[in-house]
Amino acid sequence: MTTTDQSIRVIRSDDRHRWDNEWLTSLQSFPATGNFDLVGNAHGVLLVNNDDTVDAAEGFDTHEHTDVEIITWVVDGALHHRDSRGNSGILTPGVVQRMTAGTGITHSERNAATRTERTRLRVVQMWVATEYAGREPEYAEADVTSKLSSGELPPIVSGLDRDRHSGALSLPNPFAALHAARMTADTSVMLPGSRFGHLYVVRGSVAFDGTRLTDGDAARLTDAGDVSVTATEDAEILYWEMHTGF
């Protein structure tokens, strides 16, 4: 981990917490597997940013969550989701999912590929704090492929009033928004300024504030204002804009 200045902290890919079993590699920008204090380690309201690779036909069996917002972004492959609210389907790259755990929801997440297909699933899963405990569980998903084709940085999940008519999935936290971009080399986007920001490079490489970030690198911004990010090669990024923290 390095600090570039008082408002930007870079977490390199190799510095992430790693957890492995026979079928899963989980690379965690915030330690999440084991006895960790998720709130104590949070940045803004972002609690978890796991980059998971799952072998074909494997995955997480039915388990429960409460009082957290879970955002899922498939990078490669296909994810089969099923939950106790009757939602079931396949998520593929370009489809974002938001699940409000609320008073309690059980779900399973598995690599939709068969063993003979041998296709691995890569998925980024993020948890953010909900506005208040005890909500009714909810589920939503949206295909945002066309939004990303512009090379801009649109909000794809948001609780901000500003984004109410943007087409972003609603988020039951009025202080946070997730943006995504698929950038071609030498193009730039502007990260909106906020009290807290979290930039994650899904693939490729980008440069900003004199720093180069590559696959799996993250940057935690605090009171940084608007920041321009330029792709040094084709890149995919996720950015949390957060106007409050714990």
Side-chain angles (χ1 to χ4, degrees), residues 177-192:
L178 174 64
H179 305 255
R182 289 176 178 162
M183 306 168 65
T184 56
D186 300 321
T187 61
S188 299
V189 296
M190 188 71 70
L191 307 183

Side-chain angles (χ1 to χ4, degrees), residues 191-203:
L191 307 183
S194 58
R195 184 177 175 192
F196 300 99
H198 186 270
L199 171 64
Y200 185 68
V201 181
V202 177
R203 63 170 103 237

Side-chain angles (χ1 to χ4, degrees), residues 33-136:
T33 304
N35 187 24
F36 292 103
D37 180 359
L38 295 185
V39 171
N41 289 329
H43 180 69
V45 292
L46 183 61
L47 303 165
V48 166
N49 189 97
N50 288 356
D51 195 328
D52 294 342
T53 300
V54 183
D55 286 348
E58 299 288 356
F60 299 93
D61 293 329
T62 301
H63 57 286
E64 185 176 26
H65 297 283
T66 58
D67 291 328
V68 69
E69 305 295 335
I70 300 174
I71 314 301
T72 300
W73 181 252
V74 174
V75 181
D76 297 306
L79 181 151
H80 183 201
H81 168 91
R82 179 177 291 137
D83 65 48
S84 55
R85 304 290 289 184
N87 301 294
S88 180
I90 305 295
L91 302 178
T92 53
V95 177
V96 62
Q97 178 200 78
R98 186 268 295 169
M99 188 172 68
T100 297
T103 54
I105 192 168
T106 60
H107 73 135
S108 62
E109 299 169 300
R110 303 189 66 83
N111 186 336
T114 65
R115 294 187 190 281
T116 56
E117 291 172 321
R118 298 183 179 180
T119 303
R120 288 189 170 185
L121 166 70
R122 183 184 171 202
V123 58
V124 179
Q125 189 168 92
M126 299 151 280
W127 297 7
V128 297
T130 194
E131 181 183 13
Y132 58 83
R135 299 186 68 94
E136 184 73 10

